[in-house]
mmCIF file with all atom_site columns, all heavy atoms in Angstrom:
data_model
loop_
_atom_site.group_PDB
_atom_site.id
_atom_site.type_symbol
_atom_site.label_atom_id
_atom_site.label_alt_id
_atom_site.label_comp_id
_atom_site.label_asym_id
_atom_site.label_entity_id
_atom_site.label_seq_id
_atom_site.pdbx_PDB_ins_code
_atom_site.Cartn_x
_atom_site.Cartn_y
_atom_site.Cartn_z
_atom_site.occupancy
_atom_site.B_iso_or_equiv
_atom_site.pdbx_formal_charge
_atom_site.auth_seq_id
_atom_site.auth_comp_id
_atom_site.auth_asym_id
_atom_site.auth_atom_id
_atom_site.pdbx_PDB_model_num
ATOM 1   N N   . ALA N 1 1  ? 113.477 114.348 94.017  1.00 0.00 ? 1  ALA N N   1
ATOM 2   C CA  . ALA N 1 1  ? 112.484 114.339 92.942  1.00 0.00 ? 1  ALA N CA  1
ATOM 3   C C   . ALA N 1 1  ? 111.096 114.653 93.476  1.00 0.00 ? 1  ALA N C   1
ATOM 4   O O   . ALA N 1 1  ? 110.323 115.408 92.859  1.00 0.00 ? 1  ALA N O   1
ATOM 5   C CB  . ALA N 1 1  ? 112.490 112.982 92.242  1.00 0.00 ? 1  ALA N CB  1
ATOM 6   N N   . LEU N 1 2  ? 110.784 114.116 94.638  1.00 0.00 ? 2  LEU N N   1
ATOM 7   C CA  . LEU N 1 2  ? 109.476 114.366 95.240  1.00 0.00 ? 2  LEU N CA  1
ATOM 8   C C   . LEU N 1 2  ? 109.330 115.842 95.638  1.00 0.00 ? 2  LEU N C   1
ATOM 9   O O   . LEU N 1 2  ? 108.251 116.432 95.490  1.00 0.00 ? 2  LEU N O   1
ATOM 10  C CB  . LEU N 1 2  ? 109.260 113.457 96.453  1.00 0.00 ? 2  LEU N CB  1
ATOM 11  C CG  . LEU N 1 2  ? 109.115 111.965 96.144  1.00 0.00 ? 2  LEU N CG  1
ATOM 12  C CD1 . LEU N 1 2  ? 109.012 111.177 97.454  1.00 0.00 ? 2  LEU N CD1 1
ATOM 13  C CD2 . LEU N 1 2  ? 107.913 111.703 95.269  1.00 0.00 ? 2  LEU N CD2 1
ATOM 14  N N   . SER N 1 3  ? 110.398 116.411 96.147  1.00 0.00 ? 3  SER N N   1
ATOM 15  C CA  . SER N 1 3  ? 110.352 117.828 96.520  1.00 0.00 ? 3  SER N CA  1
ATOM 16  C C   . SER N 1 3  ? 110.130 118.708 95.285  1.00 0.00 ? 3  SER N C   1
ATOM 17  O O   . SER N 1 3  ? 109.333 119.666 95.314  1.00 0.00 ? 3  SER N O   1
ATOM 18  C CB  . SER N 1 3  ? 111.649 118.237 97.221  1.00 0.00 ? 3  SER N CB  1
ATOM 19  O OG  . SER N 1 3  ? 111.768 117.581 98.441  1.00 0.00 ? 3  SER N OG  1
ATOM 20  N N   . SER N 1 4  ? 110.853 118.384 94.196  1.00 0.00 ? 4  SER N N   1
ATOM 21  C CA  . SER N 1 4  ? 110.664 119.138 92.943  1.00 0.00 ? 4  SER N CA  1
ATOM 22  C C   . SER N 1 4  ? 109.234 118.995 92.444  1.00 0.00 ? 4  SER N C   1
ATOM 23  O O   . SER N 1 4  ? 108.605 119.983 92.018  1.00 0.00 ? 4  SER N O   1
ATOM 24  C CB  . SER N 1 4  ? 111.633 118.633 91.871  1.00 0.00 ? 4  SER N CB  1
ATOM 25  O OG  . SER N 1 4  ? 112.954 118.857 92.271  1.00 0.00 ? 4  SER N OG  1
ATOM 26  N N   . GLN N 1 5  ? 108.752 117.786 92.491  1.00 0.00 ? 5  GLN N N   1
ATOM 27  C CA  . GLN N 1 5  ? 107.379 117.545 92.031  1.00 0.00 ? 5  GLN N CA  1
ATOM 28  C C   . GLN N 1 5  ? 106.386 118.319 92.903  1.00 0.00 ? 5  GLN N C   1
ATOM 29  O O   . GLN N 1 5  ? 105.395 118.862 92.397  1.00 0.00 ? 5  GLN N O   1
ATOM 30  C CB  . GLN N 1 5  ? 107.093 116.037 92.075  1.00 0.00 ? 5  GLN N CB  1
ATOM 31  C CG  . GLN N 1 5  ? 105.786 115.638 91.441  1.00 0.00 ? 5  GLN N CG  1
ATOM 32  C CD  . GLN N 1 5  ? 105.598 114.125 91.463  1.00 0.00 ? 5  GLN N CD  1
ATOM 33  O OE1 . GLN N 1 5  ? 106.352 113.406 92.106  1.00 0.00 ? 5  GLN N OE1 1
ATOM 34  N NE2 . GLN N 1 5  ? 104.585 113.669 90.760  1.00 0.00 ? 5  GLN N NE2 1
ATOM 35  N N   . HIS N 1 6  ? 106.656 118.408 94.182  1.00 0.00 ? 6  HIS N N   1
ATOM 36  C CA  . HIS N 1 6  ? 105.771 119.146 95.099  1.00 0.00 ? 6  HIS N CA  1
ATOM 37  C C   . HIS N 1 6  ? 105.725 120.625 94.717  1.00 0.00 ? 6  HIS N C   1
ATOM 38  O O   . HIS N 1 6  ? 104.635 121.242 94.701  1.00 0.00 ? 6  HIS N O   1
ATOM 39  C CB  . HIS N 1 6  ? 106.243 118.968 96.541  1.00 0.00 ? 6  HIS N CB  1
ATOM 40  C CG  . HIS N 1 6  ? 105.500 119.800 97.528  1.00 0.00 ? 6  HIS N CG  1
ATOM 41  N ND1 . HIS N 1 6  ? 104.184 119.574 97.863  1.00 0.00 ? 6  HIS N ND1 1
ATOM 42  C CD2 . HIS N 1 6  ? 105.879 120.889 98.241  1.00 0.00 ? 6  HIS N CD2 1
ATOM 43  C CE1 . HIS N 1 6  ? 103.785 120.465 98.742  1.00 0.00 ? 6  HIS N CE1 1
ATOM 44  N NE2 . HIS N 1 6  ? 104.806 121.283 98.989  1.00 0.00 ? 6  HIS N NE2 1
ATOM 45  N N   . LYS N 1 7  ? 106.887 121.203 94.381  1.00 0.00 ? 7  LYS N N   1
ATOM 46  C CA  . LYS N 1 7  ? 106.935 122.615 93.996  1.00 0.00 ? 7  LYS N CA  1
ATOM 47  C C   . LYS N 1 7  ? 106.199 122.846 92.670  1.00 0.00 ? 7  LYS N C   1
ATOM 48  O O   . LYS N 1 7  ? 105.491 123.857 92.511  1.00 0.00 ? 7  LYS N O   1
ATOM 49  C CB  . LYS N 1 7  ? 108.382 123.080 93.892  1.00 0.00 ? 7  LYS N CB  1
ATOM 50  C CG  . LYS N 1 7  ? 109.051 123.219 95.241  1.00 0.00 ? 7  LYS N CG  1
ATOM 51  C CD  . LYS N 1 7  ? 110.511 123.591 95.115  1.00 0.00 ? 7  LYS N CD  1
ATOM 52  C CE  . LYS N 1 7  ? 111.163 123.594 96.480  1.00 0.00 ? 7  LYS N CE  1
ATOM 53  N NZ  . LYS N 1 7  ? 112.594 123.863 96.400  1.00 0.00 ? 7  LYS N NZ  1
ATOM 54  N N   . ILE N 1 8  ? 106.382 121.923 91.729  1.00 0.00 ? 8  ILE N N   1
ATOM 55  C CA  . ILE N 1 8  ? 105.736 122.047 90.421  1.00 0.00 ? 8  ILE N CA  1
ATOM 56  C C   . ILE N 1 8  ? 104.221 121.943 90.559  1.00 0.00 ? 8  ILE N C   1
ATOM 57  O O   . ILE N 1 8  ? 103.456 122.691 89.930  1.00 0.00 ? 8  ILE N O   1
ATOM 58  C CB  . ILE N 1 8  ? 106.285 120.979 89.455  1.00 0.00 ? 8  ILE N CB  1
ATOM 59  C CG1 . ILE N 1 8  ? 107.743 121.277 89.121  1.00 0.00 ? 8  ILE N CG1 1
ATOM 60  C CG2 . ILE N 1 8  ? 105.455 120.917 88.170  1.00 0.00 ? 8  ILE N CG2 1
ATOM 61  C CD1 . ILE N 1 8  ? 108.436 120.156 88.375  1.00 0.00 ? 8  ILE N CD1 1
ATOM 62  N N   . LEU N 1 9  ? 103.752 121.070 91.396  1.00 0.00 ? 9  LEU N N   1
ATOM 63  C CA  . LEU N 1 9  ? 102.310 120.802 91.531  1.00 0.00 ? 9  LEU N CA  1
ATOM 64  C C   . LEU N 1 9  ? 101.663 121.621 92.661  1.00 0.00 ? 9  LEU N C   1
ATOM 65  O O   . LEU N 1 9  ? 100.558 121.285 93.108  1.00 0.00 ? 9  LEU N O   1
ATOM 66  C CB  . LEU N 1 9  ? 102.100 119.308 91.784  1.00 0.00 ? 9  LEU N CB  1
ATOM 67  C CG  . LEU N 1 9  ? 102.572 118.354 90.679  1.00 0.00 ? 9  LEU N CG  1
ATOM 68  C CD1 . LEU N 1 9  ? 102.391 116.911 91.113  1.00 0.00 ? 9  LEU N CD1 1
ATOM 69  C CD2 . LEU N 1 9  ? 101.834 118.627 89.375  1.00 0.00 ? 9  LEU N CD2 1
ATOM 70  N N   . LYS N 1 10 ? 102.378 122.628 93.138  1.00 0.00 ? 10 LYS N N   1
ATOM 71  C CA  . LYS N 1 10 ? 101.883 123.408 94.267  1.00 0.00 ? 10 LYS N CA  1
ATOM 72  C C   . LYS N 1 10 ? 100.526 124.054 93.957  1.00 0.00 ? 10 LYS N C   1
ATOM 73  O O   . LYS N 1 10 ? 99.693  124.191 94.871  1.00 0.00 ? 10 LYS N O   1
ATOM 74  C CB  . LYS N 1 10 ? 102.924 124.470 94.640  1.00 0.00 ? 10 LYS N CB  1
ATOM 75  C CG  . LYS N 1 10 ? 102.663 125.174 95.949  1.00 0.00 ? 10 LYS N CG  1
ATOM 76  C CD  . LYS N 1 10 ? 103.849 126.030 96.314  1.00 0.00 ? 10 LYS N CD  1
ATOM 77  C CE  . LYS N 1 10 ? 103.632 126.624 97.696  1.00 0.00 ? 10 LYS N CE  1
ATOM 78  N NZ  . LYS N 1 10 ? 104.769 127.438 98.105  1.00 0.00 ? 10 LYS N NZ  1
ATOM 79  N N   . ASN N 1 11 ? 100.313 124.482 92.694  1.00 0.00 ? 11 ASN N N   1
ATOM 80  C CA  . ASN N 1 11 ? 99.067  125.143 92.318  1.00 0.00 ? 11 ASN N CA  1
ATOM 81  C C   . ASN N 1 11 ? 97.882  124.181 92.335  1.00 0.00 ? 11 ASN N C   1
ATOM 82  O O   . ASN N 1 11 ? 96.742  124.602 92.501  1.00 0.00 ? 11 ASN N O   1
ATOM 83  C CB  . ASN N 1 11 ? 99.197  125.807 90.946  1.00 0.00 ? 11 ASN N CB  1
ATOM 84  C CG  . ASN N 1 11 ? 100.198 126.948 90.982  1.00 0.00 ? 11 ASN N CG  1
ATOM 85  O OD1 . ASN N 1 11 ? 100.395 127.564 92.029  1.00 0.00 ? 11 ASN N OD1 1
ATOM 86  N ND2 . ASN N 1 11 ? 100.824 127.230 89.845  1.00 0.00 ? 11 ASN N ND2 1
ATOM 87  N N   . GLN N 1 12 ? 98.146  122.931 92.158  1.00 0.00 ? 12 GLN N N   1
ATOM 88  C CA  . GLN N 1 12 ? 97.049  121.934 92.173  1.00 0.00 ? 12 GLN N CA  1
ATOM 89  C C   . GLN N 1 12 ? 96.964  121.395 93.597  1.00 0.00 ? 12 GLN N C   1
ATOM 90  O O   . GLN N 1 12 ? 97.387  120.282 93.890  1.00 0.00 ? 12 GLN N O   1
ATOM 91  C CB  . GLN N 1 12 ? 97.326  120.833 91.156  1.00 0.00 ? 12 GLN N CB  1
ATOM 92  C CG  . GLN N 1 12 ? 97.465  121.356 89.740  1.00 0.00 ? 12 GLN N CG  1
ATOM 93  C CD  . GLN N 1 12 ? 97.955  120.268 88.793  1.00 0.00 ? 12 GLN N CD  1
ATOM 94  O OE1 . GLN N 1 12 ? 98.284  119.174 89.205  1.00 0.00 ? 12 GLN N OE1 1
ATOM 95  N NE2 . GLN N 1 12 ? 97.971  120.606 87.510  1.00 0.00 ? 12 GLN N NE2 1
ATOM 96  N N   . HIS N 1 13 ? 96.393  122.187 94.493  1.00 0.00 ? 13 HIS N N   1
ATOM 97  C CA  . HIS N 1 13 ? 96.454  121.946 95.924  1.00 0.00 ? 13 HIS N CA  1
ATOM 98  C C   . HIS N 1 13 ? 95.860  120.603 96.360  1.00 0.00 ? 13 HIS N C   1
ATOM 99  O O   . HIS N 1 13 ? 96.471  119.870 97.141  1.00 0.00 ? 13 HIS N O   1
ATOM 100 C CB  . HIS N 1 13 ? 95.757  123.101 96.659  1.00 0.00 ? 13 HIS N CB  1
ATOM 101 C CG  . HIS N 1 13 ? 95.812  122.974 98.130  1.00 0.00 ? 13 HIS N CG  1
ATOM 102 N ND1 . HIS N 1 13 ? 96.980  123.077 98.844  1.00 0.00 ? 13 HIS N ND1 1
ATOM 103 C CD2 . HIS N 1 13 ? 94.833  122.741 99.050  1.00 0.00 ? 13 HIS N CD2 1
ATOM 104 C CE1 . HIS N 1 13 ? 96.741  122.918 100.116 1.00 0.00 ? 13 HIS N CE1 1
ATOM 105 N NE2 . HIS N 1 13 ? 95.432  122.716 100.280 1.00 0.00 ? 13 HIS N NE2 1
ATOM 106 N N   . GLU N 1 14 ? 94.658  120.279 95.890  1.00 0.00 ? 14 GLU N N   1
ATOM 107 C CA  . GLU N 1 14 ? 94.006  119.064 96.354  1.00 0.00 ? 14 GLU N CA  1
ATOM 108 C C   . GLU N 1 14 ? 94.755  117.799 95.911  1.00 0.00 ? 14 GLU N C   1
ATOM 109 O O   . GLU N 1 14 ? 94.934  116.875 96.710  1.00 0.00 ? 14 GLU N O   1
ATOM 110 C CB  . GLU N 1 14 ? 92.554  119.025 95.852  1.00 0.00 ? 14 GLU N CB  1
ATOM 111 C CG  . GLU N 1 14 ? 91.653  120.069 96.471  1.00 0.00 ? 14 GLU N CG  1
ATOM 112 C CD  . GLU N 1 14 ? 91.596  119.955 97.987  1.00 0.00 ? 14 GLU N CD  1
ATOM 113 O OE1 . GLU N 1 14 ? 91.508  118.815 98.509  1.00 0.00 ? 14 GLU N OE1 1
ATOM 114 O OE2 . GLU N 1 14 ? 91.656  120.991 98.653  1.00 0.00 ? 14 GLU N OE2 1
ATOM 115 N N   . ASP N 1 15 ? 95.210  117.792 94.655  1.00 0.00 ? 15 ASP N N   1
ATOM 116 C CA  . ASP N 1 15 ? 95.962  116.629 94.158  1.00 0.00 ? 15 ASP N CA  1
ATOM 117 C C   . ASP N 1 15 ? 97.305  116.503 94.877  1.00 0.00 ? 15 ASP N C   1
ATOM 118 O O   . ASP N 1 15 ? 97.741  115.407 95.223  1.00 0.00 ? 15 ASP N O   1
ATOM 119 C CB  . ASP N 1 15 ? 96.191  116.741 92.655  1.00 0.00 ? 15 ASP N CB  1
ATOM 120 C CG  . ASP N 1 15 ? 94.902  116.625 91.854  1.00 0.00 ? 15 ASP N CG  1
ATOM 121 O OD1 . ASP N 1 15 ? 93.934  116.034 92.385  1.00 0.00 ? 15 ASP N OD1 1
ATOM 122 O OD2 . ASP N 1 15 ? 94.888  117.096 90.705  1.00 0.00 ? 15 ASP N OD2 1
ATOM 123 N N   . VAL N 1 16 ? 97.923  117.662 95.090  1.00 0.00 ? 16 VAL N N   1
ATOM 124 C CA  . VAL N 1 16 ? 99.239  117.644 95.759  1.00 0.00 ? 16 VAL N CA  1
ATOM 125 C C   . VAL N 1 16 ? 99.104  117.156 97.191  1.00 0.00 ? 16 VAL N C   1
ATOM 126 O O   . VAL N 1 16 ? 99.953  116.396 97.691  1.00 0.00 ? 16 VAL N O   1
ATOM 127 C CB  . VAL N 1 16 ? 99.880  119.053 95.717  1.00 0.00 ? 16 VAL N CB  1
ATOM 128 C CG1 . VAL N 1 16 ? 101.091 119.111 96.624  1.00 0.00 ? 16 VAL N CG1 1
ATOM 129 C CG2 . VAL N 1 16 ? 100.289 119.392 94.303  1.00 0.00 ? 16 VAL N CG2 1
ATOM 130 N N   . LYS N 1 17 ? 98.027  117.575 97.856  1.00 0.00 ? 17 LYS N N   1
ATOM 131 C CA  . LYS N 1 17 ? 97.824  117.181 99.249  1.00 0.00 ? 17 LYS N CA  1
ATOM 132 C C   . LYS N 1 17 ? 97.726  115.655 99.369  1.00 0.00 ? 17 LYS N C   1
ATOM 133 O O   . LYS N 1 17 ? 98.384  115.043 100.217 1.00 0.00 ? 17 LYS N O   1
ATOM 134 C CB  . LYS N 1 17 ? 96.549  117.845 99.765  1.00 0.00 ? 17 LYS N CB  1
ATOM 135 C CG  . LYS N 1 17 ? 96.463  117.974 101.248 1.00 0.00 ? 17 LYS N CG  1
ATOM 136 C CD  . LYS N 1 17 ? 95.238  118.808 101.598 1.00 0.00 ? 17 LYS N CD  1
ATOM 137 C CE  . LYS N 1 17 ? 95.184  119.082 103.064 1.00 0.00 ? 17 LYS N CE  1
ATOM 138 N NZ  . LYS N 1 17 ? 94.001  119.854 103.438 1.00 0.00 ? 17 LYS N NZ  1
ATOM 139 N N   . LYS N 1 18 ? 96.931  115.049 98.469  1.00 0.00 ? 18 LYS N N   1
ATOM 140 C CA  . LYS N 1 18 ? 96.783  113.575 98.478  1.00 0.00 ? 18 LYS N CA  1
ATOM 141 C C   . LYS N 1 18 ? 98.107  112.892 98.115  1.00 0.00 ? 18 LYS N C   1
ATOM 142 O O   . LYS N 1 18 ? 98.517  111.919 98.750  1.00 0.00 ? 18 LYS N O   1
ATOM 143 C CB  . LYS N 1 18 ? 95.682  113.179 97.491  1.00 0.00 ? 18 LYS N CB  1
ATOM 144 C CG  . LYS N 1 18 ? 95.361  111.695 97.490  1.00 0.00 ? 18 LYS N CG  1
ATOM 145 C CD  . LYS N 1 18 ? 94.238  111.406 96.516  1.00 0.00 ? 18 LYS N CD  1
ATOM 146 C CE  . LYS N 1 18 ? 93.888  109.947 96.511  1.00 0.00 ? 18 LYS N CE  1
ATOM 147 N NZ  . LYS N 1 18 ? 94.844  109.134 95.802  1.00 0.00 ? 18 LYS N NZ  1
ATOM 148 N N   . GLN N 1 19 ? 98.723  113.422 97.070  1.00 0.00 ? 19 GLN N N   1
ATOM 149 C CA  . GLN N 1 19 ? 100.007 112.827 96.633  1.00 0.00 ? 19 GLN N CA  1
ATOM 150 C C   . GLN N 1 19 ? 101.078 112.971 97.715  1.00 0.00 ? 19 GLN N C   1
ATOM 151 O O   . GLN N 1 19 ? 101.862 112.057 97.943  1.00 0.00 ? 19 GLN N O   1
ATOM 152 C CB  . GLN N 1 19 ? 100.468 113.514 95.342  1.00 0.00 ? 19 GLN N CB  1
ATOM 153 C CG  . GLN N 1 19 ? 101.630 112.821 94.668  1.00 0.00 ? 19 GLN N CG  1
ATOM 154 C CD  . GLN N 1 19 ? 101.988 113.501 93.353  1.00 0.00 ? 19 GLN N CD  1
ATOM 155 O OE1 . GLN N 1 19 ? 101.559 114.597 93.065  1.00 0.00 ? 19 GLN N OE1 1
ATOM 156 N NE2 . GLN N 1 19 ? 102.774 112.800 92.561  1.00 0.00 ? 19 GLN N NE2 1
ATOM 157 N N   . LEU N 1 20 ? 101.084 114.118 98.390  1.00 0.00 ? 20 LEU N N   1
ATOM 158 C CA  . LEU N 1 20 ? 102.064 114.329 99.466  1.00 0.00 ? 20 LEU N CA  1
ATOM 159 C C   . LEU N 1 20 ? 101.886 113.311 100.580 1.00 0.00 ? 20 LEU N C   1
ATOM 160 O O   . LEU N 1 20 ? 102.857 112.750 101.107 1.00 0.00 ? 20 LEU N O   1
ATOM 161 C CB  . LEU N 1 20 ? 101.946 115.755 100.015 1.00 0.00 ? 20 LEU N CB  1
ATOM 162 C CG  . LEU N 1 20 ? 102.886 116.090 101.169 1.00 0.00 ? 20 LEU N CG  1
ATOM 163 C CD1 . LEU N 1 20 ? 104.339 115.957 100.719 1.00 0.00 ? 20 LEU N CD1 1
ATOM 164 C CD2 . LEU N 1 20 ? 102.593 117.488 101.688 1.00 0.00 ? 20 LEU N CD2 1
ATOM 165 N N   . LEU N 1 21 ? 100.626 113.068 100.936 1.00 0.00 ? 21 LEU N N   1
ATOM 166 C CA  . LEU N 1 21 ? 100.349 112.081 101.981 1.00 0.00 ? 21 LEU N CA  1
ATOM 167 C C   . LEU N 1 21 ? 100.867 110.700 101.563 1.00 0.00 ? 21 LEU N C   1
ATOM 168 O O   . LEU N 1 21 ? 101.532 110.006 102.353 1.00 0.00 ? 21 LEU N O   1
ATOM 169 C CB  . LEU N 1 21 ? 98.849  112.036 102.273 1.00 0.00 ? 21 LEU N CB  1
ATOM 170 C CG  . LEU N 1 21 ? 98.405  111.082 103.394 1.00 0.00 ? 21 LEU N CG  1
ATOM 171 C CD1 . LEU N 1 21 ? 99.049  111.482 104.707 1.00 0.00 ? 21 LEU N CD1 1
ATOM 172 C CD2 . LEU N 1 21 ? 96.884  111.090 103.513 1.00 0.00 ? 21 LEU N CD2 1
ATOM 173 N N   . ASP N 1 22 ? 100.575 110.314 100.312 1.00 0.00 ? 22 ASP N N   1
ATOM 174 C CA  . ASP N 1 22 ? 101.064 109.019 99.802  1.00 0.00 ? 22 ASP N CA  1
ATOM 175 C C   . ASP N 1 22 ? 102.599 108.962 99.828  1.00 0.00 ? 22 ASP N C   1
ATOM 176 O O   . ASP N 1 22 ? 103.197 107.938 100.204 1.00 0.00 ? 22 ASP N O   1
ATOM 177 C CB  . ASP N 1 22 ? 100.556 108.771 98.388  1.00 0.00 ? 22 ASP N CB  1
ATOM 178 C CG  . ASP N 1 22 ? 99.055  108.528 98.335  1.00 0.00 ? 22 ASP N CG  1
ATOM 179 O OD1 . ASP N 1 22 ? 98.471  108.180 99.390  1.00 0.00 ? 22 ASP N OD1 1
ATOM 180 O OD2 . ASP N 1 22 ? 98.475  108.673 97.243  1.00 0.00 ? 22 ASP N OD2 1
ATOM 181 N N   . LEU N 1 23 ? 103.201 110.061 99.391  1.00 0.00 ? 23 LEU N N   1
ATOM 182 C CA  . LEU N 1 23 ? 104.669 110.074 99.360  1.00 0.00 ? 23 LEU N CA  1
ATOM 183 C C   . LEU N 1 23 ? 105.277 110.043 100.754 1.00 0.00 ? 23 LEU N C   1
ATOM 184 O O   . LEU N 1 23 ? 106.321 109.420 100.975 1.00 0.00 ? 23 LEU N O   1
ATOM 185 C CB  . LEU N 1 23 ? 105.162 111.317 98.599  1.00 0.00 ? 23 LEU N CB  1
ATOM 186 C CG  . LEU N 1 23 ? 104.895 111.306 97.093  1.00 0.00 ? 23 LEU N CG  1
ATOM 187 C CD1 . LEU N 1 23 ? 105.304 112.634 96.473  1.00 0.00 ? 23 LEU N CD1 1
ATOM 188 C CD2 . LEU N 1 23 ? 105.637 110.150 96.426  1.00 0.00 ? 23 LEU N CD2 1
ATOM 189 N N   . GLN N 1 24 ? 104.609 110.685 101.702 1.00 0.00 ? 24 GLN N N   1
ATOM 190 C CA  . GLN N 1 24 ? 105.108 110.627 103.077 1.00 0.00 ? 24 GLN N CA  1
ATOM 191 C C   . GLN N 1 24 ? 105.023 109.204 103.630 1.00 0.00 ? 24 GLN N C   1
ATOM 192 O O   . GLN N 1 24 ? 105.936 108.734 104.303 1.00 0.00 ? 24 GLN N O   1
ATOM 193 C CB  . GLN N 1 24 ? 104.322 111.588 103.970 1.00 0.00 ? 24 GLN N CB  1
ATOM 194 C CG  . GLN N 1 24 ? 104.704 113.037 103.774 1.00 0.00 ? 24 GLN N CG  1
ATOM 195 C CD  . GLN N 1 24 ? 103.834 113.981 104.591 1.00 0.00 ? 24 GLN N CD  1
ATOM 196 O OE1 . GLN N 1 24 ? 102.719 113.624 104.999 1.00 0.00 ? 24 GLN N OE1 1
ATOM 197 N NE2 . GLN N 1 24 ? 104.327 115.194 104.795 1.00 0.00 ? 24 GLN N NE2 1
ATOM 198 N N   . LEU N 1 25 ? 103.932 108.541 103.323 1.00 0.00 ? 25 LEU N N   1
ATOM 199 C CA  . LEU N 1 25 ? 103.803 107.139 103.757 1.00 0.00 ? 25 LEU N CA  1
ATOM 200 C C   . LEU N 1 25 ? 104.894 106.274 103.113 1.00 0.00 ? 25 LEU N C   1
ATOM 201 O O   . LEU N 1 25 ? 105.520 105.432 103.767 1.00 0.00 ? 25 LEU N O   1
ATOM 202 C CB  . LEU N 1 25 ? 102.421 106.597 103.409 1.00 0.00 ? 25 LEU N CB  1
ATOM 203 C CG  . LEU N 1 25 ? 101.248 107.159 104.224 1.00 0.00 ? 25 LEU N CG  1
ATOM 204 C CD1 . LEU N 1 25 ? 99.910  106.651 103.665 1.00 0.00 ? 25 LEU N CD1 1
ATOM 205 C CD2 . LEU N 1 25 ? 101.402 106.792 105.692 1.00 0.00 ? 25 LEU N CD2 1
ATOM 206 N N   . GLN N 1 26 ? 105.103 106.501 101.817 1.00 0.00 ? 26 GLN N N   1
ATOM 207 C CA  . GLN N 1 26 ? 106.153 105.735 101.114 1.00 0.00 ? 26 GLN N CA  1
ATOM 208 C C   . GLN N 1 26 ? 107.527 106.044 101.708 1.00 0.00 ? 26 GLN N C   1
ATOM 209 O O   . GLN N 1 26 ? 108.348 105.149 101.910 1.00 0.00 ? 26 GLN N O   1
ATOM 210 C CB  . GLN N 1 26 ? 106.130 106.076 99.625  1.00 0.00 ? 26 GLN N CB  1
ATOM 211 C CG  . GLN N 1 26 ? 107.142 105.284 98.818  1.00 0.00 ? 26 GLN N CG  1
ATOM 212 C CD  . GLN N 1 26 ? 107.174 105.696 97.344  1.00 0.00 ? 26 GLN N CD  1
ATOM 213 O OE1 . GLN N 1 26 ? 106.480 106.619 96.954  1.00 0.00 ? 26 GLN N OE1 1
ATOM 214 N NE2 . GLN N 1 26 ? 107.977 105.011 96.563  1.00 0.00 ? 26 GLN N NE2 1
ATOM 215 N N   . HIS N 1 27 ? 107.747 107.334 101.974 1.00 0.00 ? 27 HIS N N   1
ATOM 216 C CA  . HIS N 1 27 ? 109.037 107.736 102.547 1.00 0.00 ? 27 HIS N CA  1
ATOM 217 C C   . HIS N 1 27 ? 109.252 107.080 103.909 1.00 0.00 ? 27 HIS N C   1
ATOM 218 O O   . HIS N 1 27 ? 110.344 106.575 104.205 1.00 0.00 ? 27 HIS N O   1
ATOM 219 C CB  . HIS N 1 27 ? 109.100 109.260 102.671 1.00 0.00 ? 27 HIS N CB  1
ATOM 220 C CG  . HIS N 1 27 ? 110.370 109.740 103.283 1.00 0.00 ? 27 HIS N CG  1
ATOM 221 N ND1 . HIS N 1 27 ? 111.583 109.651 102.648 1.00 0.00 ? 27 HIS N ND1 1
ATOM 222 C CD2 . HIS N 1 27 ? 110.620 110.303 104.491 1.00 0.00 ? 27 HIS N CD2 1
ATOM 223 C CE1 . HIS N 1 27 ? 112.527 110.137 103.426 1.00 0.00 ? 27 HIS N CE1 1
ATOM 224 N NE2 . HIS N 1 27 ? 111.975 110.541 104.544 1.00 0.00 ? 27 HIS N NE2 1
ATOM 225 N N   . ASN N 1 28 ? 108.214 107.088 104.744 1.00 0.00 ? 28 ASN N N   1
ATOM 226 C CA  . ASN N 1 28 ? 108.325 106.456 106.067 1.00 0.00 ? 28 ASN N CA  1
ATOM 227 C C   . ASN N 1 28 ? 108.557 104.959 105.941 1.00 0.00 ? 28 ASN N C   1
ATOM 228 O O   . ASN N 1 28 ? 109.329 104.367 106.702 1.00 0.00 ? 28 ASN N O   1
ATOM 229 C CB  . ASN N 1 28 ? 107.078 106.736 106.905 1.00 0.00 ? 28 ASN N CB  1
ATOM 230 C CG  . ASN N 1 28 ? 107.005 108.183 107.347 1.00 0.00 ? 28 ASN N CG  1
ATOM 231 O OD1 . ASN N 1 28 ? 108.030 108.861 107.409 1.00 0.00 ? 28 ASN N OD1 1
ATOM 232 N ND2 . ASN N 1 28 ? 105.812 108.663 107.642 1.00 0.00 ? 28 ASN N ND2 1
ATOM 233 N N   . SER N 1 29 ? 107.876 104.358 104.975 1.00 0.00 ? 29 SER N N   1
ATOM 234 C CA  . SER N 1 29 ? 108.059 102.929 104.742 1.00 0.00 ? 29 SER N CA  1
ATOM 235 C C   . SER N 1 29 ? 109.502 102.631 104.320 1.00 0.00 ? 29 SER N C   1
ATOM 236 O O   . SER N 1 29 ? 110.135 101.687 104.812 1.00 0.00 ? 29 SER N O   1
ATOM 237 C CB  . SER N 1 29 ? 107.087 102.447 103.666 1.00 0.00 ? 29 SER N CB  1
ATOM 238 O OG  . SER N 1 29 ? 107.349 101.112 103.330 1.00 0.00 ? 29 SER N OG  1
#
């Protein structure tokens, strides 16, 4: 789901970058 969301939000670069970082932290956790 996160990967799909990343592809959908690819055009919104700044928001995706922040969200990706949060999701990576959550994933690592």
Side-chain angles (χ1 to χ4, degrees):
L2 292 176
S3 294
S4 297
Q5 188 177 10
H6 174 70
K7 288 176 185 176
I8 292 170
L9 298 176
K10 191 171 186 179
N11 294 332
Q12 301 171 354
H13 182 67
E14 292 302 318
D15 293 337
V16 169
K17 202 173 186 181
K18 185 178 181 284
Q19 191 177 14
L20 178 61
L21 182 61
D22 291 340
L23 290 175
Q24 284 176 339
L25 289 174
Q26 182 184 4
H27 178 69
N28 289 337
S29 174

